Amino acid sequence: MEIGEIITDALTYPFNNIKALVIYAVLGILAAFVLVLTGVSVGTGIGINSSSLGVLGVIGIIITILIYLLIMGFGLDIIKIGIDKGDGSPDIDFSRQVANGIKLLIVAVIYFIIPFIITALVMYFNNTLGIIVGAILTIVFAFALYMGQCRLADTEDLAYSANIIEAIKDALSIGIVKILIVLILLIIIGFILTFIVSIFNNFGSVGTFIGALIQGILSIYLTFVQFRAIGLLYSDV
């Protein structure tokens, strides 16, 4: 797909899948609610002993982690639909999506442990050179991780998605410049939309509340757009 087609499709995809957008929003709100509820309970401590507070806190953290893993797995399904150039939206599949969310975390660690180690070793001998090498490696492996994310979305295979060399080959196959342009355009669009929303903050407390609400919805929208764009990029592999 051409860059213009990818951007246009990614920007319109959330509006064509309101159901998925609402589900994603509800998951995010639920995670935030659990954290706030746990914080309020711990902060007040009314009629609850310290042992109960500890258990409550642990339960809240576990629930929040599971929700965010589910969100990541849900996002991988959006990427998969983009790879297949489909127009539908994913449904909730708790066990599979949580499992894929865990896999994605593992893949991210695998991709960034190498540049971290190399950067640390270089910085041991020369701090300035280490910073330069670290910046370059971080960019390279970030591109590779995007491809690893797509490989995981496409196959749900941890070993396949953790193959860094093949992921880099995928990025080269698509074109580094093409990937970079798409990501830069998405960042610019995100800045523009965020700036427009920030205007509401100039209209008092009500405006601030409305701005915060729209900002929350906007962040979910932009996340959908990014997932969709990455999937469409990978469809050219």
Side-chain angles (χ1 to χ4, degrees):
M1 295 181 68
E2 298 297 325
I3 292 175
E5 292 176 316
I6 291 174
I7 295 297
T8 301
D9 186 295
L11 290 174
T12 57
Y13 175 78
F15 295 111
N16 297 329
N17 293 274
I18 298 299
K19 173 187 174 183
L21 198 64
V22 170
I23 292 175
Y24 205 90
V26 169
L27 289 174
I29 293 171
L30 181 59
F33 177 75
V34 170
L35 284 178
V36 170
L37 181 61
T38 303
V40 170
S41 298
V42 172
T44 57
I46 300 175
I48 304 177
N49 58 41
S50 59
S51 175
S52 297
L53 287 175
V55 172
L56 181 62
V58 170
I59 293 174
I61 292 172
I62 291 175
I63 293 175
T64 302
I65 290 174
L66 288 175
I67 292 174
Y68 278 113
L69 288 173
L70 177 62
I71 289 174
M72 286 190 288
F74 194 82
L76 286 174
D77 283 348
I78 293 177
I79 293 176
K80 169 62 175 174
I81 292 172
I83 293 173
D84 296 334
K85 296 182 179 178
D87 296 321
S89 59
D91 293 318
I92 292 291
D93 187 342
F94 186 84
S95 59
R96 182 181 63 80
Q97 288 169 337
V98 168
N100 284 341
I102 294 173
K103 291 178 185 177
L104 181 57
L105 284 178
I106 295 173
V107 169
V109 171
I110 292 173
Y111 274 71
F112 280 109
I113 194 67
I114 296 176
F116 175 79
I117 292 174
I118 294 176
T119 300
L121 289 173
V122 175
M123 289 185 71
Y124 178 78
F125 297 101
N126 188 301
N127 191 63
T128 302
L129 181 60
I131 293 174
I132 296 173
V133 171
I136 294 173
L137 288 177
T138 298
I139 294 172
V140 171
F141 278 80
F143 275 101
L145 179 57
Y146 274 120
M147 299 299 101
Q149 190 177 23
C150 291
R151 292 166 72 88
L152 179 60
D154 195 30
T155 65
E156 300 187 11
D157 186 326
L158 181 59
Y160 182 79
S161 58
N163 191 325
I164 299 175
I165 300 300
E166 291 300 319
I168 293 176
K169 289 181 180 178
D170 288 343
L172 293 174
S173 175
I174 296 170
I176 298 297
V177 174
K178 182 176 182 178
I179 297 173
L180 188 59
I181 291 175
V182 169
L183 293 179
I184 290 175
L185 287 174
L186 291 177
I187 291 172
I188 292 174
I189 291 170
F191 272 127
I192 293 174
L193 293 178
T194 300
F195 173 75
I196 293 174
V197 171
S198 68
I199 295 176
F200 284 94
N201 294 329
N202 299 321
F203 296 97
S205 57
V206 175
T208 301
F209 173 78
I210 295 175
L213 180 62
I214 297 177
Q215 183 66 51
I217 297 173
L218 178 62
S219 65
I220 296 168
Y221 167 77
L222 291 175
T223 301
F224 262 55
V225 170
Q226 181 181 355
F227 282 139
R228 178 68 173 181
I230 293 172
L232 292 175
L233 275 170
Y234 195 76
S235 67
D236 287 339
V237 173

